[in-house]
Amino acid sequence: MISYESFILSNGLKVIVHEDHSAPIAAVNLLYKVGARDEDPEKTGFAHLFEHLMFGGSKNVPEYDEPLQKVGGDNNAFTSNDITNYYITLPSANLETAFWLESDRMLSLSFDPKVLEVQRSVVIEEFKQRYLNQPYGDAWLKLRPLAYQQHPYRWATIGKEISHIEKATMDDVKDFFFKYYLPNNAVLVVAGDVTFDEVKRLSEKWFGPIPAGELDTRKLPVEEAQQEYRLLEVEEKVPIDALYMTFHMPARTDDAYHATDLLSDILGRGKSSRLYNELLEDKRIFNSISAHVTGSVDPGLFVIEGKLNSGFSTKDGEDAIWELIEEFKKETLSEKEVNKVKNKAESTQVFSEMELLNRAMALAYAEMLGDASLANEEIDRIRAVTADDISRQAELILNKENASVLRYNAKKG
């Protein structure tokens, strides 16, 4: 259980305080409710570009890292399709440093053309190294537009293509910043060796003067239910054949989400999973295979992926997976197998919450989903899942008409 108190500033910034005085450390997590799904389809990759730009200096602080390092602090960030998240850990005695740094870059970036050019180059290089020049790196660049036809999940956080970042202008950058980097579009969590009164005072001092903005109210297109099997087969210079299968599944806040997540654990989490035991250990069709869910805010994807042993084609691998799925659907799940994956999921949750920063992130994410209290409901939701719930999701989701499959074949010769 993560204890917390909260308040809202007059400009709409939601602030959550989690006190833990076991060590003289503080974690400051600032989540902006903007991700790749909020981008213009013709200007993608901007949320991720901003993750980089936010470290390139703000209106009054030319070097973001330097003052933080002087007080023993560390920081980083990440972007997803749903959010952009910035976090700092530092000695709690120096908490105010985190406040003035984060508030200054929320107030305004430096908008230095040199910074844009530097970070543009960094992002383009990342696009090339991680997605285009890495074996299987472009798999999700191919999978997302195959699985999604309407929803903006159809492009990855890095963007659809390099040209969108290459053509980004300073006006584009400013428009994006002032549209989404607003106090009323953010959640601030301060955790650790802090007090509620101290955090409230610092929040009002540093974030209070920042004006609220007009929130973007555009409605994202809803992905229609998939009605047909989709297959994309490619040949690339990769060491061995790989197979990716995706199925549309419930959103992160849906009642059926945890049952679907546990279904992925039974089928493909670790060496005791069905896919691993049958298709890797017994039949030796795959040399690696797993299943997971994307955990997206809007309806996401249930994913099965694996790499094939020589002598087996991607079609062989896919046929074997379909056979396993159909057999799985006919079975009655044992309570023992269900309890095992539930216990694993629960222990993962508990171990995660041992880290102060993870608690701060969990509260911020839960608040973004609708209420910070959701962070304390995860274990109960996991425990409430029954064998019937899991079997029902297998029946609903794991069907050919709901499948988008990428057969990623290695070039011969």
Side-chain angles (χ1 to χ4, degrees):
M1 185 67 71
I2 309 172
S3 60
Y4 68 91
E5 295 180 272
S6 64
F7 58 92
I8 302 175
L9 296 181
S10 59
N11 58 15
L13 178 66
K14 181 68 177 276
V15 184
I16 299 170
V17 185
H18 165 59
E19 294 189 33
D20 178 353
H21 302 286
S22 59
I25 299 294
V28 178
N29 192 91
L30 186 58
L31 181 153
Y32 288 94
K33 301 174 186 178
V34 56
R37 70 177 188 162
D38 299 295
E39 296 164 346
D40 182 326
E42 301 307 315
K43 296 177 181 179
T44 63
F46 271 62
H48 175 250
L49 176 62
F50 259 86
E51 179 198 320
H52 287 261
L53 288 174
M54 289 286 274
F55 292 99
S58 54
K59 191 172 183 179
N60 302 300
V61 185
E63 292 288 337
Y64 182 85
D65 287 339
E66 189 178 322
L68 192 59
Q69 288 168 353
K70 282 182 178 178
V71 297
D74 194 17
N75 73 96
N76 215 326
F78 64 85
T79 312
S80 75
N81 288 80
D82 298 311
I83 63 170
T84 309
N85 195 72
Y86 301 87
Y87 54 93
I88 294 171
T89 53
L90 76 173
S92 52
N94 300 322
L95 179 64
E96 190 161 10
T97 300
F99 270 83
W100 67 261
L101 283 171
E102 284 292 10
S103 64
D104 198 63
R105 63 180 182 178
M106 178 186 281
L107 179 66
S108 182
L109 292 181
S110 67
F111 297 119
D112 183 340
K114 291 179 182 176
V115 171
L116 174 58
E117 290 313 309
V118 168
Q119 297 306 327
R120 186 206 309 275
S121 298
V122 170
V123 171
I124 288 171
E125 191 58 30
E126 182 182 344
F127 201 128
K128 290 175 180 176
Q129 284 192 0
R130 290 183 56 194
Y131 295 85
L132 301 184
N133 300 332
Q134 180 96 350
Y136 317 103
D138 62 348
W140 279 96
L141 298 182
K142 300 176 188 300
L143 266 170
R144 284 189 173 277
L146 185 66
Y148 289 103
Q149 308 285 296
Q150 290 94 25
H151 195 281
Y153 284 161
R154 66 184 182 272
W155 59 83
T157 54
I158 196 71
K160 278 186 190 177
E161 53 190 70
I162 289 177
S163 65
H164 288 186
I165 299 301
E166 289 174 334
K167 295 175 183 175
T169 67
M170 185 56 76
D171 284 341
D172 292 333
V173 167
K174 287 181 178 179
D175 288 347
F176 194 88
F177 179 83
F178 290 114
K179 188 176 185 180
Y180 294 113
Y181 278 73
L182 307 168
N184 46 324
N185 196 44
V187 179
L188 175 66
V189 178
V190 184
D193 187 27
V194 301
T195 66
F196 179 84
D197 290 342
E198 177 189 26
V199 171
K200 192 167 188 181
R201 176 182 67 82
L202 291 173
S203 298
E204 288 172 345
K205 175 182 177 180
W206 291 104
F207 287 96
I210 301 174
E214 187 174 339
L215 291 178
D216 178 32
T217 56
R218 84 179 175 98
K219 293 195 182 298
L220 299 179
V222 176
E223 187 71 21
E224 294 175 12
Q226 187 171 328
Q227 303 289 350
E228 80 291 327
Y229 170 81
R230 297 171 189 160
L231 173 66
L232 176 62
E233 200 153 8
V234 298
E235 260 196 21
E236 301 286 354
K237 290 182 179 178
V238 291
I240 53 177
D241 294 349
L243 179 69
Y244 302 83
M245 300 173 67
T246 67
F247 305 83
H248 292 280
M249 62 163 284
R252 185 64 180 79
T253 53
D254 193 282
D255 289 341
Y257 172 80
H258 289 86
T260 313
D261 192 18
L262 290 173
L263 170 63
S264 76
D265 289 348
I266 289 174
L267 288 179
R269 181 182 179 182
K271 294 183 178 180
S272 62
S273 66
R274 299 289 190 97
L275 289 165
Y276 189 96
N277 277 325
E278 186 171 328
L279 304 187
L280 189 148
E281 289 282 4
D282 295 344
K283 296 183 178 177
R284 303 284 180 178
I285 297 172
F286 289 85
N287 62 63
S288 70
I289 190 163
S290 63
H292 67 275
V293 300
T294 56
S296 309
V297 172
D298 292 335
L301 296 175
F302 183 110
V303 184
I304 297 173
E305 60 181 280
K307 293 185 174 64
L308 283 295
N309 280 320
S310 59
F312 295 96
S313 68
T314 47
K315 183 182 186 305
D316 293 334
E318 184 184 346
D319 288 344
I321 290 173
W322 282 119
E323 187 179 338
L324 183 147
I325 286 171
E326 293 310 312
E327 286 301 318
F328 179 83
K329 288 182 186 178
K330 292 173 187 173
E331 287 183 35
T332 299
L333 272 177
S334 71
E335 289 301 320
K336 182 180 178 182
E337 188 172 22
V338 172
N339 286 335
K340 186 172 77 170
V341 294
K342 287 167 73 171
N343 289 339
K344 268 189 183 178
E346 186 175 332
S347 65
T348 299
Q349 185 73 22
V350 171
F351 281 123
S352 171
E353 290 178 6
M354 292 176 72
E355 292 284 339
L356 179 66
L357 181 58
N358 287 346
R359 275 175 267 155
M361 287 185 182
L363 287 169
Y365 187 71
E367 180 61 34
M368 185 274 302
L369 289 176
D371 194 327
S373 65
L374 292 171
N376 289 323
E377 296 175 11
E378 284 296 289
I379 289 176
D380 287 340
R381 289 175 183 268
I382 291 166
R383 288 175 177 171
V385 174
T386 66
D388 286 345
D389 293 333
I390 294 172
S391 295
R392 189 178 305 113
Q393 288 311 111
E395 282 289 342
L396 288 171
I397 292 168
L398 302 179
N399 300 301
K400 275 216 164 181
E401 63 272 15
N402 189 37
S404 298
V405 178
L406 171 61
R407 295 181 189 167
Y408 205 113
N409 302 309
K411 275 188 178 175
K412 305 296 187 286

